[in-house]
């Protein structure tokens, strides 16, 4: 999967978000902080590939805003 954008979320939100994303059949991976992906303490990133704008709109609504570009 080519990583395009991500949302940083608290660990406590992961279960709910995974259920919703799996139900929508949206591809994603969960990543922990790294040298490349700097996150706040207690946060992880849900990373997505490029996707059709209709699918992206569902994701944007779920996360209440636009995602951040994945670092190259």
């Amino acid at each position: 999967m080519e990583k395009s954008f991500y949302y940083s979320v608290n660990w406590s939100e992961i279960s709910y978000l995974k259920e919703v994303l799996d139900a929508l059949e949206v591809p994603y991976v969960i990543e922990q902080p790294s040298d490349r992906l700097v996150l706040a303490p207690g946060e992880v990133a849900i990373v997505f590939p490029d996707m059709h704008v209709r699918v992206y709109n569902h994701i944007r609504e779920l996360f209440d805003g636009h995602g951040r570009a994945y670092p190259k």
Side-chain angles (χ1 to χ4, degrees):
M1 175 178 92
E2 188 167 330
K3 300 169 184 175
S4 178
F5 65 98
Y6 73 97
Y7 291 89
S8 55
V9 298
N10 288 319
W11 265 111
S12 61
E13 300 174 49
I14 289 295
S15 292
Y16 167 73
L17 293 170
K18 281 177 61 174
E19 285 181 31
V20 173
L21 293 170
D22 290 343
L24 293 172
E25 297 181 356
V26 175
Y28 68 93
V29 294
I30 297 172
E31 293 189 9
Q32 295 188 9
S34 65
D35 291 340
R36 187 178 200 183
L37 191 62
V38 179
L39 302 170
E43 289 188 337
V44 294
I46 300 182
V47 183
F48 299 93
D50 282 334
M51 58 184 60
H52 192 278
V53 69
R54 280 186 242 163
V55 178
Y56 178 74
N57 283 334
H58 288 294
I59 302 303
R60 186 177 49 80
E61 289 177 18
L62 176 64
F63 288 92
D64 197 29
H66 293 286
R68 296 184 197 137
Y70 191 83
K72 299 285 180 191

